[in-house]
């Protein structure tokens, strides 16, 4: 059973749980399971806690998962700056794009001029604010959905946020600007304040994941169930129109083979729905010191240092993934070499340190989606010593490869010692799917177009190229949202760095492709974008692992689009 699922088995039997489920057959469902959204064999569903075990054991169920935290892919760039431009540019009348731009993120300033059309009306068709208390009934059972009429009416007010009942900067106390507004501005600015983007004529459908209350716990972040239901919301609104979805989201842990239920859902969408693209930031985890990997031999012991910050008061977590045919034991030791937690294949065990029970080790054989073995170590708090040893023992070894990830923790990130860190395979937890496009960041001010120092490196653990594309990610200027105490947008811009800033640029280029070829399949579209890249000439393995097919070049893409259009017209005439 999924470790997180074991943590929520006990509790109020009548509580309705939000879960992801993989079906053995896409048309046969378990009993006692209410389907909310479906992409092929992946569904999001609601199950009463009293029925959880029966659904898990149902013949129709292949895999059942509790929600996984999906934080925004934010890089803390201390060199950010604000740019104010109060002079609105003259905008010629433009035709509305047939391509819908979907975004799942946090904090959308609908009052910013860059998201208005030529008539001063909103380009947002809908915004689903998932954390808000539901006041308009929707099929998902949470959050509030605002349509363009709601937003346009609010824009007529002197206090549009108050009028609508949604302040995008509710968590922005110091005026740095919300992640979602800036990301959206890079992709879809109409050009009123900042430079017009390639998706500047697209209608926008946005999902604000915000904070979320999941199965009795306030995670203060979005989660995998709400992410999948956000995708469902965007695609339902898009209808038959072509659609590009940007997600600058992700964490550290997962099997990194593209076999999480979220990633399988991504692939199912892209295989079935023509004219659809999902673009993701690869992550800013290269320097996070949160990945360790190695080859463990028979009867060998490997020790890994796990370090904690003094002010870390949050829970901490490690996932270790290894091959199905192997058997690895794990021990946790303190500074003095005392073992206070251990797990042999495939036994769960309690962790006791600092005098009380403070954690648990889950140890699973043959996780049903990746087929790998999985060790999940969860600590309720950091140890007083601030240093632990994770000891791995090779019990039965045929392959020996393992990968260990410390989960992302924006409250107090723990980390491996520098000697134990492997910076490859550090792409985000949900951007390993074969058909999505993962984007890394490069420094556009560097003549060598070097990948940014923080940008995550591939490949996937099953050795596929990720990220596939590099785009500019150094101090990118785009829309800045109003801060918490402001009544509406101040028409400001801000500069931020990160792979989050690279991803929406590539997403906007995908819009450009779909405007020419609205029914193109994902395989052809991927190849168009990859052929538009300039490979970085480097012998450095790290640069190769960060850069994929290279830096995206819009001029190359324009040339390829002209050629493809000419070929299409020639074929049509014959």
């Amino acid at each position: 059973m999924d470790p997180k699922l074991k943590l929520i088995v006990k509790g109020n039997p009548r509580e309705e749980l939000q879960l992801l489920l993989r079906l053995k057959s896409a048309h046969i469902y378990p009993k006692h399971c209410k389907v909310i959204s479906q992409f092929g064999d992946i569904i999001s569903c609601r199950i009463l806690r009293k029925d959880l075990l029966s659904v898990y054991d149902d013949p129709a169920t292949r895999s059942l998962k509790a929600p996984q935290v999906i934080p925004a892919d934010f890089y803390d760039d201390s060199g950010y700056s604000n740019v104010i431009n109060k002079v609105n540019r003259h905008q010629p009348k433009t035709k509305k794009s047939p391509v819908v731009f979907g975004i799942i993120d946090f904090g959308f300033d609908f009052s910013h001029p860059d998201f208005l059309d030529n008539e001063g009306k909103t380009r947002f068709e809908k915004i689903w604010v998932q954390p808000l208390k539901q006041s308009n009934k929707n099929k998902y059972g949470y959050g509030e959905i605002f349509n363009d009429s709601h937003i346009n009416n609010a824009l007529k007010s002197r206090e549009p946020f108050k009028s609508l009942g949604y302040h995008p900067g509710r968590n922005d106390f110091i005026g740095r600007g919300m992640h979602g507004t800036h990301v959206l501005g890079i992709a879809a600015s109409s050009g009123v304040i900042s430079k017009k983007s390639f998706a500047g004529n697209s209608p926008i459908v946005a999902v604000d994941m915000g904070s979320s209350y999941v199965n009795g716990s306030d995670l203060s972040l979005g989660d995998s169930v709400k992410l999948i239901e956000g995708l469902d919301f965007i695609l339902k609104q898009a209808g038959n129109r072509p659609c590009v979805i940007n997600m600058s989201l992700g964490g550290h842990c997962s099997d990194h083979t593209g076999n999480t239920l979220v990633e399988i859902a991504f692939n199912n969408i892209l295989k079935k729905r023509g004219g659809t693209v999902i673009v993701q930031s690869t992550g800013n985890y290269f320097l996070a010191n949160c990945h360790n990997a190695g080859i463990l031999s028979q009867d060998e012991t490997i020790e890994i240092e796990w370090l904690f910050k003094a002010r870390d008061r949050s829970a901490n977590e490690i996932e270790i993934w290894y091959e199905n045919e192997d058997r690895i034991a794990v021990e946790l030791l303190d500074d003095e070499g005392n073992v206070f937690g251990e797990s042999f294949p495939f036994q769960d065990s309690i962790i006791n340190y600092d005098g009380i029970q403070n954690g648990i080790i889950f140890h699973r054989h043959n996780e049903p989606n990746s087929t790998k073995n999985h060790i999940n170590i969860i600590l309720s708090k950091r140890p007083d010593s601030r240093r632990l040893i994770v000891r791995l023992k090779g019990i039965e070894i045929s392959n020996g490869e393992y990968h260990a990830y410390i989960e992302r923790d924006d409250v107090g990130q723990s980390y491996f010692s520098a000697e134990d860190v492997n910076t490859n395979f550090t792409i985000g937890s949900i951007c390993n799917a074969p058909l999505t496009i993962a984007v890394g960041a490069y420094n556009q001010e560097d003549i060598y177009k070097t990948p940014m120092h923080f940008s995550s490196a591939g490949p996937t653990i099953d050795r596929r190229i990720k990220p596939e594309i590099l785009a500019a990610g150094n101090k990118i200027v785009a829309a800045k949202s109003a801060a918490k105490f402001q009544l509406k947008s101040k028409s400001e811009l801000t500069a931020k760095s990160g792979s989050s800033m690279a991803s929406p640029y590539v997403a906007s280029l995908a819009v450009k492709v779909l405007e020419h070829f609205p029914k193109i399949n994902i395989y052809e579209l991927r190849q168009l974008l990859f052929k538009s890249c300039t490979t970085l000439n480097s012998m450095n393995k790290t640069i190769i692992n960060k850069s994929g097919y290279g830096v995206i070049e819009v001029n190359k893409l324009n040339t390829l689009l002209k050629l493809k259009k000419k070929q299409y017209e020639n074929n049509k005439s014959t």
Side-chain angles (χ1 to χ4, degrees):
M1 180 180 282
D2 171 45
K4 302 296 191 304
L5 207 58
K6 290 182 178 180
L7 292 175
I8 62 171
V9 166
K10 294 182 179 180
N12 180 358
R14 302 300 304 175
E15 183 179 2
E16 188 177 66
L17 304 177
Q18 302 174 2
L19 304 171
L20 290 182
L21 189 148
R22 188 178 186 187
L23 302 165
K24 287 184 180 175
S25 171
H27 305 293
I28 302 175
Y29 306 96
K31 296 178 182 178
H32 311 298
C33 177
K34 181 170 71 175
V35 177
I36 303 298
S37 63
Q38 180 167 5
F39 300 113
D41 58 349
I42 304 297
I43 63 172
S44 68
C45 57
R46 305 291 184 265
I47 299 170
L48 295 180
R49 185 177 269 114
K50 71 182 183 66
D51 297 322
L52 189 145
L53 292 178
S54 65
V55 172
Y56 179 82
D57 291 328
D58 194 290
T61 300
R62 179 171 176 178
S63 178
L64 184 64
K65 300 286 187 182
Q68 302 290 312
V69 172
I70 307 289
D73 192 11
F74 176 72
Y75 176 72
D76 186 10
D77 178 17
S78 58
Y80 85 105
S81 61
N82 289 333
V83 182
I84 301 176
N85 185 343
K86 293 185 178 180
V87 181
N88 288 2
R89 304 179 185 190
H90 173 71
Q91 288 296 104
K93 286 199 175 282
T94 53
K95 186 178 179 182
K96 183 178 178 180
S97 173
V99 183
V100 174
F101 191 85
I103 181 168
I104 303 178
D105 213 298
F106 303 80
F108 302 107
D109 190 341
F110 60 89
S111 69
H112 196 287
D114 278 351
F115 307 130
L116 305 179
D117 65 15
N118 297 114
E119 298 176 352
K121 293 183 178 180
T122 187
R123 289 169 49 221
F124 286 96
E125 288 189 350
K126 284 184 179 176
I127 304 175
W128 179 19
V129 187
Q130 292 183 338
L132 287 182
K133 186 176 180 181
Q134 185 177 3
S135 62
N136 50 16
K137 189 174 182 181
N138 62 67
K139 74 169 189 174
Y140 307 102
Y142 58 94
E144 187 163 1
I145 296 171
F146 303 106
N147 61 31
D148 53 355
S149 295
H150 299 139
I151 298 168
N152 282 324
N153 285 334
L155 288 172
K156 296 174 185 177
S157 166
R158 296 180 63 181
E159 300 181 18
F161 303 148
K162 184 177 180 180
S163 176
L164 189 64
Y166 165 54
H167 196 307
R170 61 193 180 276
N171 296 321
D172 184 6
F173 295 93
I174 60 174
R176 297 201 63 171
M178 295 298 285
H179 189 267
T181 295
H182 190 261
V183 169
L184 183 60
I186 294 168
S189 167
S190 56
V192 176
I193 303 298
S194 64
K195 182 180 177 181
K196 186 170 184 177
S197 309
F198 291 116
N201 296 331
S202 284
I204 302 164
V205 183
V207 177
D208 186 325
M209 291 177 72
S211 61
S212 56
Y213 194 75
V214 180
N215 300 335
S217 299
D218 185 2
L219 299 175
S220 300
L221 294 164
D223 68 83
S224 52
V225 174
K226 289 180 170 58
L227 175 62
I228 290 299
E229 292 174 359
L231 285 171
D232 180 75
F233 171 77
I234 291 171
L235 294 173
K236 288 287 193 298
Q237 178 64 22
N240 294 323
R241 295 174 292 176
C243 183
V244 175
I245 300 172
N246 184 86
M247 294 183 291
S248 294
L249 311 166
H252 299 159
C253 286
S254 81
D255 58 78
H256 286 74
T257 64
N259 283 301
T260 64
L261 297 197
V262 166
E263 291 165 315
I264 294 170
F266 294 166
N267 246 38
N268 289 347
I269 291 167
L270 296 172
K271 284 178 183 177
K272 184 176 180 180
R273 193 182 193 277
T276 308
V277 188
I278 296 175
V279 184
Q280 301 172 273
S281 59
T282 192
N284 306 313
Y285 313 136
F286 187 77
L287 300 178
N289 290 355
C290 289
H291 174 239
N292 170 269
I295 305 293
L296 190 63
S297 301
Q298 180 68 43
D299 299 323
E300 183 184 10
T301 296
I302 292 177
E303 293 189 348
I304 311 163
E305 278 192 292
W306 187 5
L307 306 175
F308 303 82
K309 296 176 181 177
R311 295 185 179 181
D312 181 3
R313 298 184 181 277
S314 59
N316 291 275
E317 179 179 0
I318 284 182
E319 288 188 0
I320 302 168
W321 296 85
Y322 66 99
E323 297 305 308
N324 183 288
E325 65 268 28
D326 292 339
R327 303 290 181 267
I328 295 176
V330 61
E331 294 179 334
L332 279 181
L333 296 84
D334 62 20
D335 270 338
E336 298 177 355
N338 300 311
V339 176
F340 58 84
E342 61 182 346
S343 173
F344 292 91
F346 293 95
Q347 302 172 6
D348 298 341
S349 64
I350 300 299
I351 300 171
N352 293 286
Y353 62 93
D354 297 340
I356 58 172
Q357 178 182 324
N358 268 315
I360 192 165
I361 303 175
F362 296 106
H363 200 158
R364 188 179 192 186
H365 173 55
N366 191 32
E367 192 280 327
N369 304 294
S370 66
T371 73
K372 292 181 181 293
N373 300 331
H374 179 210
I375 300 171
N376 192 188
I377 305 171
I378 301 174
L379 306 181
S380 60
K381 73 177 189 71
R382 71 158 177 83
D384 290 340
S385 65
R386 293 176 48 204
R387 176 183 178 271
L388 298 179
I389 298 296
V390 180
R391 177 185 288 165
L392 303 180
K393 293 183 177 181
I395 305 299
E396 296 178 21
I397 301 296
S398 296
N399 179 291
E401 181 176 348
Y402 73 90
H403 291 264
Y405 291 92
I406 299 174
E407 186 52 286
R408 181 174 162 186
D409 177 6
D410 294 339
V411 177
Q413 184 68 60
S414 59
Y415 53 97
F416 293 124
S417 67
E419 294 78 13
D420 294 328
V421 167
N422 182 314
T423 53
N424 295 319
F425 309 95
T426 51
I427 42 184
S429 56
I430 59 168
C431 66
N432 301 277
L435 295 180
T436 59
I437 297 171
V439 183
Y442 79 92
N443 185 356
Q444 71 275 14
E445 296 177 3
D446 181 352
I447 60 171
Y448 299 106
K449 299 183 177 180
T450 307
M452 297 295 286
H453 56 282
F454 51 73
S455 191
S456 294
T460 62
I461 286 178
D462 54 339
R463 272 51 177 193
R464 288 177 290 109
I465 292 176
K466 289 280 182 181
E468 292 101 336
I469 293 175
L470 279 180
N474 181 34
K475 293 183 172 60
I476 306 300
V477 176
K480 176 180 179 289
S481 59
K484 179 178 176 63
F485 303 107
Q486 293 175 330
L487 304 179
K488 62 180 181 179
S489 171
K490 298 297 184 182
S491 302
E492 292 179 329
L493 307 178
T494 187
K496 295 179 184 289
S497 300
S499 62
S500 286
M501 285 67 252
S503 174
Y505 177 76
V506 174
S508 74
L509 293 180
V511 169
K512 185 181 177 72
V513 174
L514 290 177
E515 287 177 339
H516 289 279
F517 304 100
K519 295 187 182 299
I520 192 171
N521 66 52
I522 189 61
Y523 303 96
E524 290 182 272
L525 190 142
R526 280 166 56 88
Q527 286 306 307
L528 266 175
L529 292 178
F530 298 164
K531 288 178 181 178
S532 302
C533 294
T534 299
T535 304
L536 297 186
N537 294 320
S538 176
M539 299 298 290
N540 186 309
K541 186 67 173 175
T542 294
I543 290 178
I544 293 170
N545 286 339
K546 282 187 169 192
S547 60
Y549 295 98
V551 172
I552 192 81
E553 305 281 358
V554 67
N555 291 336
K556 282 190 174 185
L557 179 60
N558 286 334
T559 300
L560 290 171
L561 288 174
K562 288 178 182 177
L563 287 172
K564 188 171 180 64
K565 193 171 183 180
K566 189 173 183 179
Q567 291 170 356
Y568 175 77
E569 290 171 350
N570 289 339
N571 291 338
K572 193 175 180 180
S573 63
T574 57

